[in-house]
Amino acid sequence: MNDRNAHLLELDSGLLRGSLDREPFRIGHQLSGHPLFATERLLALCRALPEECVEYNAGSVEVGQDPSLTPRTGLSAEETVRRIAEEQSWMVLKYVERDPHYRDLLYDCLDEIRTVSEAVSPGMDRREGFIFLSSPRSITPFHMDPEINFLLQIAGSKKMRLFDNADRGIVSEEELERFHSEHPQRNLPYRDEFAARERVFELGPGDGVHVPVTTPHWVEVGDEVSVSFSITFRSDVSERRAGIYAMNAALRARGLRPRPPGLSPRRDELKYFLFRAGRRLGLTGG
Ligand SMILES: [Fe+2]
C-alpha cells in the first residue's frame, strides 16, 4: 500500500481542475522502477490473468492499420514478454486490478486524482488499469478509447500524438456512435492531412499524459522496450455521453438521424433514461 504521506503522481491541481477530460496535459509520477513492473512480476501477472485480458500482436503495423489484418507473431503471451526486445511485438495486460497488488497501486494513484476530480467531474467509477509492453519502434495504430485515462510511462520512451476529441473532421458523429454501439471498432481511419492538427507528447520514465475520453491518438515507441501503465476511470459525464451515443447508434441503425449529445438537454435526458432502462432489461450494452 501507498505511504499516505508520499505522492505517486505529480499533479498540478489547477490544471487538473481546469482541463480534466477536456484537453490533454502532462503529469509526472514516481512509479518507474516499481517492483510491480519488473519482467518476472509482469510474467506472473500474465500467467494469472484470464486469456481474454491478455492481448498481443506483431508491433510492425501501420498507423491506419485494419484491425482484422493485424499480424500475429506466433509467440505465446509469456514468450512475448520475455522476447519483447528482439521480436517486434505489442502487448496489453487488461484489467490488472484483478490482481490485488496492482489494484492497490491503481487505486492509490486514482485516489490522488479523485481529491480534485470529484469537484469538477464527479462519480469516479469503473477504475481499471492496463499495462502496455511494446518493442522498440513499434506503432500503436490510430484509435480512441472509452476511458478517462492517465498514461504513465514506466520504462523506455513513447511519442504520443493526440488529436482534439471535439474535432468532427477527424472523428465523425457516426464513428463515435459506432464506437459506443454493441459492435465497436477500436481503430480509426487515418488520413495524412490530420498530422497538422496533432499535439505531440514525448514521454520518458516518470512522465505521463492525461488523455480525455475518446481522444483520437496513435503512438510511436522509441529505441528501447516501452512499459506504460494506463490508469483509467469513468465519470457521471463520460457514462452519460457514452449512453447517449449508444442510443444514437441504435436510432441511426433504424434509419433516423439522431442529434449529437449536447444540443438538446431534453432529448439527451430521454435517451439516457431509455439507455439505462434498456440496460436494466438487458437490451443495451454498457
Ligand atoms: Fe489508446
Side-chain angles (χ1 to χ4, degrees):
M1 289 292 288
N2 178 27
D3 169 356
R4 292 289 166 189
N5 296 316
H7 285 283
L8 295 167
L9 305 181
E10 292 149 22
L11 290 164
D12 176 332
S13 54
L15 195 55
L16 184 57
R17 207 171 287 120
S19 301
L20 177 70
D21 208 24
R22 292 176 188 277
E23 56 179 335
F25 56 86
R26 298 185 77 92
I27 67 163
H29 67 85
Q30 302 291 339
L31 270 55
S32 292
H34 193 290
L36 286 177
F37 301 103
T39 302
E40 290 305 315
R41 185 62 185 88
L42 291 173
L43 275 168
L45 175 64
C46 194
R47 282 191 290 270
L49 286 173
E51 204 177 323
E52 66 270 19
C53 293
V54 181
E55 186 185 333
Y56 58 101
N57 52 248
S60 49
V61 296
E62 303 293 321
V63 177
Q65 182 73 38
D66 176 344
S68 65
L69 302 175
T70 301
R72 306 293 301 235
T73 55
L75 299 178
S76 70
E78 285 183 50
E79 283 171 330
T80 301
V81 177
R82 287 195 191 282
R83 297 172 62 184
I84 196 121
E86 61 265 21
E87 297 280 350
Q88 270 289 311
S89 307
W90 173 92
M91 170 179 250
V92 56
L93 305 175
K94 303 179 191 176
Y95 313 117
V96 301
E97 66 280 2
R98 286 169 177 244
D99 176 314
H101 298 98
Y102 291 91
R103 183 177 59 225
D104 284 347
L105 186 63
L106 172 72
Y107 282 21
D108 285 342
C109 289
L110 288 177
D111 283 349
E112 292 183 17
I113 291 168
R114 186 155 64 174
T115 58
V116 175
S117 69
E118 283 301 297
V120 285
S121 187
M124 180 183 279
D125 194 17
R126 293 175 67 179
R127 297 191 280 178
E128 294 166 344
F130 303 81
I131 297 175
F132 296 93
L133 306 175
S134 327
S135 297
R137 292 171 294 285
S138 62
I139 290 203
T140 307
F142 190 51
H143 70 282
M144 57 186 171
D145 300 301
E147 306 91 2
I148 300 169
N149 177 22
F150 287 78
L151 184 109
L152 311 177
Q153 189 65 16
I154 306 295
S157 64
K158 250 181 187 179
K159 204 181 266 190
M160 300 271 295
R161 298 172 189 275
L162 307 183
F163 298 79
D164 183 356
N165 68 354
D167 188 338
R168 294 290 160 268
I170 291 179
V171 177
S172 67
E173 286 299 321
E174 287 88 338
E175 283 169 324
L176 275 164
E177 290 165 12
R178 262 198 303 280
F179 181 72
H180 291 95
S181 72
E182 310 239 299
H183 306 289
Q185 186 180 310
R186 189 160 163 272
N187 288 8
L188 295 165
Y190 184 80
R191 298 202 299 271
D192 289 339
E193 72 215 47
F194 293 167
R197 289 181 264 180
E198 71 187 17
R199 281 183 71 186
V200 181
F201 289 82
E202 299 206 30
L203 308 178
D207 297 330
V209 63
H210 169 51
V211 184
V213 65
T214 63
T215 293
H217 57 285
W218 67 276
V219 188
E220 258 176 306
V221 169
D223 292 334
E224 290 160 33
V225 170
S226 164
V227 180
S228 316
F229 185 31
S230 236
I231 58 172
T232 78
F233 62 98
R234 319 289 174 106
S235 69
D236 292 347
V237 168
S238 76
E239 288 293 81
R240 188 173 189 276
R241 182 171 172 272
I244 294 166
Y245 268 120
M247 283 306 293
N248 280 358
L251 293 170
R252 197 178 294 275
R254 285 160 181 74
L256 299 169
R257 293 181 60 196
R259 281 194 210 185
L263 296 184
S264 166
R266 220 162 42 88
R267 285 181 200 221
D268 285 355
E269 199 52 54
L270 178 62
K271 286 174 188 170
Y272 192 44
F273 172 79
L274 292 172
F275 171 76
R276 281 177 297 166
R279 192 166 51 182
R280 274 197 297 275
L281 295 170
L283 302 175
T284 53

